[in-house]
Amino acid sequence: QVQLVESGGGLVQAGGSLRLSCAASGRTFSSYAMGWFRQAPGKEREFVAAISWRGGTPLYADSVKGRFTVSRDNTKNTVYLQMNSLKPEDTAVYYCAASQPATVVRRTAGDYNYWGQGTQVTVSS
C-alpha cells in the first residue's frame, strides 16, 4: 500500500510554469509505476503522464508532450510533474496515482490502484 499527497498547484498566467510534487508514504514506492491525471469541471479524468519505477519509460498525452516532464526520485519517494508553457486548457485538478506492475506505464485511470487527493492548477489567459 502507498499513500500519495500532491502539492505545488496554484494560479499561474498562460505561458508560465509550475512544478507539482507527489509525496508517497509507505514502504513500497519503488514497486509502483506512477501516473499523473487531471480533471476539469464537467470533463472526465484524463491521462497526463506516467513513468515506470526506474523512470526510463516516460509516457505523455499528446496535449502536453513537449511542455510537461514527469520524473521520480525513488530515494525521496517523490514523483514530479514539471509543467512549462501552461495554457488555460491545462486548468484542472491534478492527481497522482500508483499502478502495478512497476515496469508497465498505463494511460487508463481504472488501472491505477492508489490516488492522491489532488491539487488545483489554474491557468489564466
Side-chain angles (χ1 to χ4, degrees):
Q1 297 184 350
V2 62
Q3 293 77 47
L4 307 173
V5 179
E6 304 94 335
S7 62
L11 175 64
V12 65
Q13 293 183 354
S17 298
L18 285 173
R19 189 192 194 197
L20 305 184
S21 297
C22 177
S25 62
R27 310 292 185 184
T28 58
F29 178 69
S30 62
S31 297
Y32 297 88
M34 300 296 298
W36 286 96
F37 291 78
R38 65 188 183 187
Q39 189 165 22
K43 298 183 65 177
E44 65 181 2
R45 192 178 302 172
E46 68 172 335
F47 170 78
V48 176
I51 189 168
S52 70
W53 76 290
R54 289 191 176 274
T57 57
L59 190 65
Y60 299 95
D62 289 341
S63 60
V64 306
K65 191 175 298 182
R67 299 188 298 122
F68 291 11
T69 302
V70 63
S71 61
R72 67 190 294 167
D73 186 342
N74 291 338
T75 67
K76 298 181 178 180
N77 291 339
T78 302
V79 63
Y80 306 96
L81 185 68
Q82 178 66 48
M83 306 185 295
N84 299 327
S85 301
L86 283 162
K87 304 175 181 179
E89 52 263 43
D90 295 319
T91 295
V93 176
Y94 282 71
Y95 300 89
C96 68
S99 67
Q100 291 181 303
T103 54
V104 179
V105 291
R106 303 179 185 274
R107 294 178 176 269
T108 303
D111 291 330
Y112 287 78
N113 303 102
Y114 303 99
W115 294 82
Q117 85 289 345
T119 185
Q120 177 70 47
V121 172
T122 302
V123 184
S124 64
S125 60

